[in-house]
Amino acid sequence: MRELLTIFFSFLKIGAFTFGGGYAMIPLIEHEVVGRRRWLTAEEFGDLLTIAQAAPGPISLNTAVFVGYKYRKYSGAIAAILGVVVPSFVIILLVAVFFSQMRHNHWVEAAFMGMRPAVVALIVTPIIGLAKGMRWWLVAIAAATALTVWHFGISPIWFLIGGVLGGVVWAARIGEEVEQ
């Protein structure tokens, strides 16, 4: 039971002090589960993060579920997901109740404007971390894909489908070379 409470409070802390959505949580989750708690190795976390990104749903929830499950199976997954969701639920509930009264408050608008650069940095940090282990040409493909999606408004789904097909063809080609 103590381990489940540790999982819950670890993810509660992450959920409560992260602004900017799921990708902004990734460095905090990595610090907590790899650096501080040592529930996962850096390699395991990288693999888990890849799966979390590919799975449908918010990456922060997927990551919490996978970390909790890896550490304490189903009960760990439930503890992690509750921990990461409760702060957002409470904050959204409070904002919904009080936002109409403070929506045009100068100080609230200034606070949100001040948080924007920090949120961008928190989103970019895991991207740079993931790119460190990649070959230069894979980073170039990722950058070109991101710029194409942003500039032309093409759905990223097409690039995901293309990446899956390219990966399958590449794996089949390597498989043929290994058999020969």
Side-chain angles (χ1 to χ4, degrees), residues 53-54 141 145 149 154-170:
Q53 288 175 320
I141 290 172
T145 302
V149 167
I154 298 170
S155 172
I157 298 296
W158 295 113
F159 291 99
L160 289 171
I161 292 169
V164 167
L165 293 174
V168 168
V169 168
W170 184 50

PDB file of all heavy atoms in Angstrom, residues 53-54 141 145 149 154-170:
ATOM      1  N   GLN A  53       3.560   7.772 -26.807  1.00  0.00           N
ATOM      2  CA  GLN A  53       3.281   8.705 -27.898  1.00  0.00           C
ATOM      3  C   GLN A  53       2.473   8.040 -28.997  1.00  0.00           C
ATOM      4  O   GLN A  53       1.643   8.682 -29.634  1.00  0.00           O
ATOM      5  CB  GLN A  53       4.585   9.241 -28.488  1.00  0.00           C
ATOM      6  CG  GLN A  53       5.280  10.216 -27.584  1.00  0.00           C
ATOM      7  CD  GLN A  53       6.627  10.642 -28.137  1.00  0.00           C
ATOM      8  OE1 GLN A  53       7.368   9.839 -28.690  1.00  0.00           O
ATOM      9  NE2 GLN A  53       6.945  11.908 -27.971  1.00  0.00           N
ATOM     10  N   ALA A  54       2.717   6.760 -29.223  1.00  0.00           N
ATOM     11  CA  ALA A  54       2.027   6.053 -30.297  1.00  0.00           C
ATOM     12  C   ALA A  54       0.608   5.653 -29.901  1.00  0.00           C
ATOM     13  O   ALA A  54      -0.250   5.483 -30.762  1.00  0.00           O
ATOM     14  CB  ALA A  54       2.819   4.815 -30.708  1.00  0.00           C
ATOM     15  N   ILE A 141      14.685  14.514 -40.873  1.00  0.00           N
ATOM     16  CA  ILE A 141      13.357  14.093 -41.340  1.00  0.00           C
ATOM     17  C   ILE A 141      12.281  14.573 -40.370  1.00  0.00           C
ATOM     18  O   ILE A 141      11.235  15.084 -40.782  1.00  0.00           O
ATOM     19  CB  ILE A 141      13.299  12.560 -41.515  1.00  0.00           C
ATOM     20  CG1 ILE A 141      14.157  12.133 -42.710  1.00  0.00           C
ATOM     21  CG2 ILE A 141      11.858  12.080 -41.693  1.00  0.00           C
ATOM     22  CD1 ILE A 141      14.308  10.619 -42.855  1.00  0.00           C
ATOM     23  N   THR A 145       9.399  17.185 -41.320  1.00  0.00           N
ATOM     24  CA  THR A 145       8.009  16.779 -41.146  1.00  0.00           C
ATOM     25  C   THR A 145       7.253  17.798 -40.303  1.00  0.00           C
ATOM     26  O   THR A 145       6.143  18.225 -40.656  1.00  0.00           O
ATOM     27  CB  THR A 145       7.927  15.386 -40.486  1.00  0.00           C
ATOM     28  OG1 THR A 145       8.627  14.446 -41.307  1.00  0.00           O
ATOM     29  CG2 THR A 145       6.491  14.941 -40.308  1.00  0.00           C
ATOM     30  N   VAL A 149       4.102  20.026 -41.615  1.00  0.00           N
ATOM     31  CA  VAL A 149       2.795  20.006 -40.946  1.00  0.00           C
ATOM     32  C   VAL A 149       2.399  21.415 -40.535  1.00  0.00           C
ATOM     33  O   VAL A 149       1.260  21.850 -40.758  1.00  0.00           O
ATOM     34  CB  VAL A 149       2.826  19.053 -39.717  1.00  0.00           C
ATOM     35  CG1 VAL A 149       1.605  19.256 -38.832  1.00  0.00           C
ATOM     36  CG2 VAL A 149       2.930  17.603 -40.157  1.00  0.00           C
ATOM     37  N   ILE A 154      -0.853  20.120 -43.221  1.00  0.00           N
ATOM     38  CA  ILE A 154      -1.128  18.722 -43.545  1.00  0.00           C
ATOM     39  C   ILE A 154      -1.305  17.947 -42.236  1.00  0.00           C
ATOM     40  O   ILE A 154      -0.578  18.159 -41.277  1.00  0.00           O
ATOM     41  CB  ILE A 154       0.029  18.117 -44.373  1.00  0.00           C
ATOM     42  CG1 ILE A 154       0.174  18.866 -45.699  1.00  0.00           C
ATOM     43  CG2 ILE A 154      -0.187  16.629 -44.618  1.00  0.00           C
ATOM     44  CD1 ILE A 154       1.421  18.497 -46.475  1.00  0.00           C
ATOM     45  N   SER A 155      -2.246  17.036 -42.228  1.00  0.00           N
ATOM     46  CA  SER A 155      -2.499  16.251 -41.019  1.00  0.00           C
ATOM     47  C   SER A 155      -1.291  15.373 -40.691  1.00  0.00           C
ATOM     48  O   SER A 155      -0.756  14.680 -41.571  1.00  0.00           O
ATOM     49  CB  SER A 155      -3.725  15.357 -41.202  1.00  0.00           C
ATOM     50  OG  SER A 155      -3.854  14.481 -40.109  1.00  0.00           O
ATOM     51  N   PRO A 156      -0.855  15.371 -39.441  1.00  0.00           N
ATOM     52  CA  PRO A 156       0.274  14.517 -39.054  1.00  0.00           C
ATOM     53  C   PRO A 156      -0.027  13.034 -39.196  1.00  0.00           C
ATOM     54  O   PRO A 156       0.881  12.214 -39.259  1.00  0.00           O
ATOM     55  CB  PRO A 156       0.538  14.873 -37.589  1.00  0.00           C
ATOM     56  CG  PRO A 156      -0.480  15.851 -37.184  1.00  0.00           C
ATOM     57  CD  PRO A 156      -1.317  16.209 -38.357  1.00  0.00           C
ATOM     58  N   ILE A 157      -1.305  12.682 -39.276  1.00  0.00           N
ATOM     59  CA  ILE A 157      -1.689  11.275 -39.448  1.00  0.00           C
ATOM     60  C   ILE A 157      -1.052  10.706 -40.709  1.00  0.00           C
ATOM     61  O   ILE A 157      -0.586   9.563 -40.711  1.00  0.00           O
ATOM     62  CB  ILE A 157      -3.233  11.132 -39.515  1.00  0.00           C
ATOM     63  CG1 ILE A 157      -3.880  11.588 -38.219  1.00  0.00           C
ATOM     64  CG2 ILE A 157      -3.642   9.721 -39.889  1.00  0.00           C
ATOM     65  CD1 ILE A 157      -3.531  10.761 -37.007  1.00  0.00           C
ATOM     66  N   TRP A 158      -1.007  11.483 -41.775  1.00  0.00           N
ATOM     67  CA  TRP A 158      -0.407  11.001 -43.027  1.00  0.00           C
ATOM     68  C   TRP A 158       1.073  10.698 -42.836  1.00  0.00           C
ATOM     69  O   TRP A 158       1.591   9.723 -43.377  1.00  0.00           O
ATOM     70  CB  TRP A 158      -0.620  12.013 -44.156  1.00  0.00           C
ATOM     71  CG  TRP A 158      -2.073  12.161 -44.492  1.00  0.00           C
ATOM     72  CD1 TRP A 158      -2.857  13.258 -44.296  1.00  0.00           C
ATOM     73  CD2 TRP A 158      -2.921  11.160 -45.048  1.00  0.00           C
ATOM     74  NE1 TRP A 158      -4.142  12.996 -44.697  1.00  0.00           N
ATOM     75  CE2 TRP A 158      -4.209  11.717 -45.162  1.00  0.00           C
ATOM     76  CE3 TRP A 158      -2.738   9.842 -45.459  1.00  0.00           C
ATOM     77  CZ2 TRP A 158      -5.297  11.016 -45.668  1.00  0.00           C
ATOM     78  CZ3 TRP A 158      -3.821   9.133 -45.963  1.00  0.00           C
ATOM     79  CH2 TRP A 158      -5.081   9.714 -46.064  1.00  0.00           C
ATOM     80  N   PHE A 159       1.746  11.507 -42.052  1.00  0.00           N
ATOM     81  CA  PHE A 159       3.165  11.265 -41.793  1.00  0.00           C
ATOM     82  C   PHE A 159       3.357  10.051 -40.886  1.00  0.00           C
ATOM     83  O   PHE A 159       4.326   9.309 -41.039  1.00  0.00           O
ATOM     84  CB  PHE A 159       3.827  12.509 -41.203  1.00  0.00           C
ATOM     85  CG  PHE A 159       3.931  13.625 -42.202  1.00  0.00           C
ATOM     86  CD1 PHE A 159       3.001  14.649 -42.207  1.00  0.00           C
ATOM     87  CD2 PHE A 159       4.943  13.632 -43.146  1.00  0.00           C
ATOM     88  CE1 PHE A 159       3.083  15.669 -43.136  1.00  0.00           C
ATOM     89  CE2 PHE A 159       5.035  14.649 -44.078  1.00  0.00           C
ATOM     90  CZ  PHE A 159       4.102  15.666 -44.080  1.00  0.00           C
ATOM     91  N   LEU A 160       2.439   9.853 -39.947  1.00  0.00           N
ATOM     92  CA  LEU A 160       2.508   8.655 -39.104  1.00  0.00           C
ATOM     93  C   LEU A 160       2.315   7.392 -39.940  1.00  0.00           C
ATOM     94  O   LEU A 160       3.050   6.407 -39.786  1.00  0.00           O
ATOM     95  CB  LEU A 160       1.454   8.717 -37.988  1.00  0.00           C
ATOM     96  CG  LEU A 160       1.713   9.716 -36.886  1.00  0.00           C
ATOM     97  CD1 LEU A 160       0.500   9.819 -35.971  1.00  0.00           C
ATOM     98  CD2 LEU A 160       2.933   9.316 -36.085  1.00  0.00           C
ATOM     99  N   ILE A 161       1.333   7.423 -40.833  1.00  0.00           N
ATOM    100  CA  ILE A 161       1.098   6.270 -41.711  1.00  0.00           C
ATOM    101  C   ILE A 161       2.322   6.033 -42.593  1.00  0.00           C
ATOM    102  O   ILE A 161       2.781   4.896 -42.752  1.00  0.00           O
ATOM    103  CB  ILE A 161      -0.178   6.486 -42.558  1.00  0.00           C
ATOM    104  CG1 ILE A 161      -1.410   6.453 -41.652  1.00  0.00           C
ATOM    105  CG2 ILE A 161      -0.288   5.434 -43.659  1.00  0.00           C
ATOM    106  CD1 ILE A 161      -2.695   6.918 -42.333  1.00  0.00           C
ATOM    107  N   GLY A 162       2.872   7.113 -43.150  1.00  0.00           N
ATOM    108  CA  GLY A 162       4.083   6.992 -43.964  1.00  0.00           C
ATOM    109  C   GLY A 162       5.257   6.448 -43.168  1.00  0.00           C
ATOM    110  O   GLY A 162       6.030   5.621 -43.654  1.00  0.00           O
ATOM    111  N   GLY A 163       5.395   6.900 -41.913  1.00  0.00           N
ATOM    112  CA  GLY A 163       6.470   6.395 -41.055  1.00  0.00           C
ATOM    113  C   GLY A 163       6.318   4.918 -40.745  1.00  0.00           C
ATOM    114  O   GLY A 163       7.292   4.164 -40.743  1.00  0.00           O
ATOM    115  N   VAL A 164       5.079   4.489 -40.489  1.00  0.00           N
ATOM    116  CA  VAL A 164       4.825   3.069 -40.225  1.00  0.00           C
ATOM    117  C   VAL A 164       5.173   2.247 -41.455  1.00  0.00           C
ATOM    118  O   VAL A 164       5.881   1.227 -41.369  1.00  0.00           O
ATOM    119  CB  VAL A 164       3.357   2.836 -39.806  1.00  0.00           C
ATOM    120  CG1 VAL A 164       2.996   1.361 -39.846  1.00  0.00           C
ATOM    121  CG2 VAL A 164       3.099   3.411 -38.423  1.00  0.00           C
ATOM    122  N   LEU A 165       4.692   2.678 -42.613  1.00  0.00           N
ATOM    123  CA  LEU A 165       4.985   1.940 -43.855  1.00  0.00           C
ATOM    124  C   LEU A 165       6.482   1.921 -44.142  1.00  0.00           C
ATOM    125  O   LEU A 165       7.047   0.878 -44.502  1.00  0.00           O
ATOM    126  CB  LEU A 165       4.214   2.552 -45.028  1.00  0.00           C
ATOM    127  CG  LEU A 165       2.696   2.407 -44.967  1.00  0.00           C
ATOM    128  CD1 LEU A 165       2.039   3.175 -46.110  1.00  0.00           C
ATOM    129  CD2 LEU A 165       2.282   0.953 -44.976  1.00  0.00           C
ATOM    130  N   GLY A 166       7.142   3.073 -43.971  1.00  0.00           N
ATOM    131  CA  GLY A 166       8.588   3.130 -44.187  1.00  0.00           C
ATOM    132  C   GLY A 166       9.338   2.229 -43.217  1.00  0.00           C
ATOM    133  O   GLY A 166      10.291   1.545 -43.604  1.00  0.00           O
ATOM    134  N   GLY A 167       8.919   2.199 -41.970  1.00  0.00           N
ATOM    135  CA  GLY A 167       9.561   1.335 -40.976  1.00  0.00           C
ATOM    136  C   GLY A 167       9.379  -0.138 -41.291  1.00  0.00           C
ATOM    137  O   GLY A 167      10.307  -0.939 -41.142  1.00  0.00           O
ATOM    138  N   VAL A 168       8.181  -0.509 -41.750  1.00  0.00           N
ATOM    139  CA  VAL A 168       7.914  -1.910 -42.104  1.00  0.00           C
ATOM    140  C   VAL A 168       8.759  -2.309 -43.309  1.00  0.00           C
ATOM    141  O   VAL A 168       9.369  -3.389 -43.322  1.00  0.00           O
ATOM    142  CB  VAL A 168       6.408  -2.122 -42.373  1.00  0.00           C
ATOM    143  CG1 VAL A 168       6.142  -3.467 -43.024  1.00  0.00           C
ATOM    144  CG2 VAL A 168       5.612  -1.981 -41.080  1.00  0.00           C
ATOM    145  N   VAL A 169       8.821  -1.448 -44.322  1.00  0.00           N
ATOM    146  CA  VAL A 169       9.636  -1.747 -45.510  1.00  0.00           C
ATOM    147  C   VAL A 169      11.102  -1.854 -45.125  1.00  0.00           C
ATOM    148  O   VAL A 169      11.810  -2.785 -45.552  1.00  0.00           O
ATOM    149  CB  VAL A 169       9.424  -0.664 -46.607  1.00  0.00           C
ATOM    150  CG1 VAL A 169      10.459  -0.793 -47.719  1.00  0.00           C
ATOM    151  CG2 VAL A 169       8.016  -0.765 -47.167  1.00  0.00           C
ATOM    152  N   TRP A 170      11.583  -0.938 -44.297  1.00  0.00           N
ATOM    153  CA  TRP A 170      12.980  -0.956 -43.867  1.00  0.00           C
ATOM    154  C   TRP A 170      13.282  -2.219 -43.060  1.00  0.00           C
ATOM    155  O   TRP A 170      14.304  -2.873 -43.274  1.00  0.00           O
ATOM    156  CB  TRP A 170      13.276   0.293 -43.045  1.00  0.00           C
ATOM    157  CG  TRP A 170      14.705   0.440 -42.633  1.00  0.00           C
ATOM    158  CD1 TRP A 170      15.807   0.351 -43.433  1.00  0.00           C
ATOM    159  CD2 TRP A 170      15.194   0.698 -41.322  1.00  0.00           C
ATOM    160  NE1 TRP A 170      16.940   0.556 -42.703  1.00  0.00           N
ATOM    161  CE2 TRP A 170      16.591   0.769 -41.395  1.00  0.00           C
ATOM    162  CE3 TRP A 170      14.577   0.898 -40.100  1.00  0.00           C
ATOM    163  CZ2 TRP A 170      17.384   1.010 -40.290  1.00  0.00           C
ATOM    164  CZ3 TRP A 170      15.375   1.152 -38.997  1.00  0.00           C
ATOM    165  CH2 TRP A 170      16.758   1.191 -39.100  1.00  0.00           C
TER     166      TRP A 170
END
